[in-house]
Amino acid sequence: MSDASLKIAIVGPTHPYKGGVASHTTTLAHELEAAGHDVTPVSWSHLYPSFFYPGEQSVPSSGDPDVPPFARTVRALSWARPDSLVRAGRRLRDVDLIVVVHVIPPVVPLHLTLLRAAGVGRTALTGRGPRTAVIAHNVLPHEPHPGDAALMRTFFRRVDAVVVHSAEQSRLARELDAEHVVVTDLPPHLPRGDPVERRAHHGPARLLALGLVRGYKGIDVLLRAMVRVPDVTLTVAGEMWGDTGEEIRRLAEHRDLRGRVQIHSGYVPAERIAPLLAQHDVLSLTYRSATASQNVLLAHQHGLAVPASDVGTFGDRVRDGVDGYLVPPEDEDALVEVLQGLSDPAEVARIRAGVTQPDLQEPWVRYVGTLEALSSADVLADPTRPAPVRRRSRLGQVADRAEDLVTLARLARARRRPRLDLDRSDFPSRVRATDVPVHDEDARRAHEAAREIGLPRGGDEIAEWAALGALEVLVTMRDRGRREALIIDASGGGSPFGRWARAAGYVPVEVELTGARSSMTLLDVDTATLDFVTRLHPDDASATDVDETLTRAGWALRAGGLLCLTLPIGGSADDVIGGAADLRAVVARAADAGPDLVGDVDGDLTARLRHASRVSSDPDAAHALVRLTLRRR
């Protein structure tokens, strides 16, 4: 374990409790451990009384966990024994960060009991005791009760930060007195099980509504719309809750729905989900209200299109008319129009063809990075400092103004957790600012060097080779050891650079390359603002966007600021950098934009490129990867 690792306790439900929150908590523990941290989940032996949760709380004893359990989970908490919260809290006094997973307001007094016993609260901002972060899956319940808001105000006033998964939940948390709110995408914690091969289907859409049947999910609206559209069918699979379940059963008996609606009441275990999805074409998410949900990811992973209400984060996940449909909540007429289209087999085939496999790892990289940043005492400890930046749901598409990225980095500089005190002598002499790996051995040696230095586990070996050179360049910048460089990292979730930079005490701001908007447009900050910009493997700069990268970075970097990027060389596509001559042309265009090369693309590097071209076994693929480092004049 590296010197930069944190001791983190996660307080929340895990297996054998069922549902998305328990799966998220368990997966979070695995991801934090994979990032090199010392993680202890503190879960419940006895959770809610039945009047708070009328369904079955636990997975059946014969059922498999939804996600792999975390071996070091401590199941010490009991609703019926408040003293169990005190004992557990006392054992957490030496951790760096306590993450409390909030589910329903009635649990707040128990969580506060644990936090007081651990010696935390507002005093953590002055450096005493562990820091605290609440992950609020729902700031208030879908069906709130009197007193819920007062409990949440008390809770939020006594913790350091609140993590939410949508802009609307951020607004609600701030209304309830949360001072430091961070918005980040809910990462996937899908039931394990690969997609099942589906049989060919050439008919109207087969719809599925999956999970707890509650009023806010709007299944009754879907059934009323189905009465007006023949042919499409629906399966409702999940536990029926109270009056809502009775209403769904009554609607399913309508004469125009007989034979078209099947109800499978009860918990759907993880091993049955993939086969069930393979029997349907569409996962219906026609909710009345929502916060954040992973159900769109679940559907797309298994090849299903998604008609969804435009509530919560569904609008961010569903591409209307491409891989699903977005309709206003409770709009029966809009649903009828969607269902009429789905009664046509050609439309079913078209909308399903638009579904693409989601990236299940990159959101976790950002989520872990968010919690790592919250482990440090920042300038919010000083009430005279400016208020924190209000942020939207996606880092990289989040800033209300591009200069907010710079503000975010400045707010987060003060680090409480231990960090690696690196300098140039910690890196092997073979690491060069501008370089190319000729053999697989080069990447393997970079991987070994990263472990020897004590850096957290990274991505694949090529990504580690790219990031190691960039990190070496970063730590040799002259800032008198203060680690105050303003860094924009556009390398994507597959690169370890951001994580390694944080381990070394820096605060990089990571931006996304996905979507219609190029990440490079986020460099629209004041001229000569940034110290360091990276764009590294696996999100390399291609031939078509390298000029934009060079121009915007050249404008945004201060004099002496550095740009570090990787470029794939070779291949048969139109959009390629073919070899050494094309690479020299890139360097010349960079000089025109402002940055000059650190190193040399002639001599040894050219010889290495030629060697890589000769030994390449696939003439249609890139045969080399070049890391270029350029300094702004």
Side-chain angles (χ1 to χ4, degrees), residues 260-294:
R260 296 170 52 204
V261 178
Q262 296 185 43
I263 294 178
H264 301 299
S265 179
Y267 170 70
V268 182
E271 63 270 19
R272 285 184 51 203
I273 290 177
L276 184 62
L277 290 166
Q279 296 167 9
H280 295 83
D281 310 295
V282 171
L283 183 65
S284 177
L285 302 175
T286 54
Y287 286 29
R288 286 184 165 85
S289 64
T291 51
S293 171
Q294 65 167 354

Side-chain angles (χ1 to χ4, degrees), residues 1-5 419-431 445-457 464-465 467-473 475 483 499-501 503-504:
M1 187 170 297
S2 75
D3 294 337
S5 67
R419 61 181 175 87
L420 297 174
D421 188 15
L422 300 178
D423 58 32
R424 179 64 187 87
S425 64
D426 292 301
F427 295 82
S429 59
R430 63 180 178 274
V431 177
R445 290 166 70 188
H447 170 81
E448 293 175 350
R451 301 292 81 74
E452 292 171 1
I453 291 170
L455 294 168
R457 193 177 75 180
E464 290 193 328
W465 171 86
L468 190 67
L471 185 66
E472 187 271 340
V473 171
V475 301
R483 302 297 194 258
R499 183 174 297 167
W500 288 358

Side-chain angles (χ1 to χ4, degrees), residues 568-589:
I569 307 296
S572 61
D574 295 333
D575 176 24
V576 299
I577 297 170
D582 289 345
L583 186 60
R584 284 192 289 271
V586 169
V587 172
R589 296 199 299 273

Side-chain angles (χ1 to χ4, degrees), residues 324-576:
Y325 312 90
L326 290 172
V327 298
E330 298 189 87
D331 191 331
E332 185 178 310
D333 290 338
L335 266 179
V336 167
E337 185 177 347
V338 168
L339 293 176
Q340 286 172 338
L342 289 172
S343 64
D344 180 358
E347 174 61 10
V348 176
R350 185 197 70 80
I351 200 71
R352 282 197 57 242
V355 175
T356 58
Q357 287 288 304
D359 184 343
L360 301 182
Q361 186 55 43
E362 186 271 346
W364 275 111
V365 174
R366 299 190 180 281
Y367 205 83
V368 167
T370 295
L371 293 177
E372 288 173 337
L374 293 178
S375 70
S376 62
D378 55 33
V379 297
L380 296 176
D382 181 354
T384 67
R385 295 296 181 93
V389 176
R390 303 311 195 239
R391 309 196 64 77
R392 295 200 301 273
S393 62
R394 285 184 177 162
L395 190 59
Q397 298 178 359
V398 294
D400 291 326
R401 301 179 310 279
E403 59 264 28
D404 288 347
L405 294 170
V406 177
T407 304
L408 176 64
R410 286 174 175 150
L411 287 175
R413 275 179 179 160
R415 311 296 288 175
R416 176 177 178 271
R417 64 187 173 113
R419 61 181 175 87
L420 297 174
D421 188 15
L422 300 178
D423 58 32
R424 179 64 187 87
S425 64
D426 292 301
F427 295 82
S429 59
R430 63 180 178 274
V431 177
R432 297 184 291 181
T434 295
D435 200 6
V436 56
V438 176
H439 305 286
D440 292 342
E441 179 71 10
D442 294 331
R444 187 186 64 79
R445 290 166 70 188
H447 170 81
E448 293 175 350
R451 301 292 81 74
E452 292 171 1
I453 291 170
L455 294 168
R457 193 177 75 180
D460 62 47
E461 290 183 348
I462 291 293
E464 290 193 328
W465 171 86
L468 190 67
L471 185 66
E472 187 271 340
V473 171
L474 176 62
V475 301
T476 55
M477 292 183 70
R478 296 178 181 176
D479 71 347
R480 299 178 183 177
R482 293 192 298 267
R483 302 297 194 258
E484 292 184 349
L486 290 175
I487 306 167
I488 297 290
D489 176 27
S491 304
S495 169
F497 175 80
R499 183 174 297 167
W500 288 358
R502 286 191 295 272
Y506 296 92
V507 187
V509 176
E510 294 166 284
V511 299
E512 294 181 6
L513 289 167
T514 56
R517 183 184 179 197
S518 166
S519 70
M520 288 298 110
T521 62
L522 287 170
L523 299 187
D524 287 334
V525 295
D526 291 342
T527 303
T529 299
L530 302 176
D531 298 295
F532 201 78
V533 176
T534 66
R535 185 162 179 187
L536 304 170
H537 183 81
D539 284 351
D540 316 279
S542 67
T544 54
D545 61 12
V546 68
D547 288 333
E548 180 193 12
T549 300
L550 294 171
T551 300
R552 291 190 178 274
W555 179 70
L557 287 168
R558 63 166 175 81
L562 293 164
L563 167 66
C564 196
L565 73 162
T566 51
L567 296 167
I569 307 296
S572 61
D574 295 333
D575 176 24
V576 299

Side-chain angles (χ1 to χ4, degrees), residues 213-214 240-250 263:
V213 177
R214 299 179 65 178
M240 301 285 180
W241 271 39
D243 294 341
T244 299
E246 293 302 318
E247 182 181 15
I248 297 305
R249 288 189 175 93
R250 179 180 60 78
I263 294 178

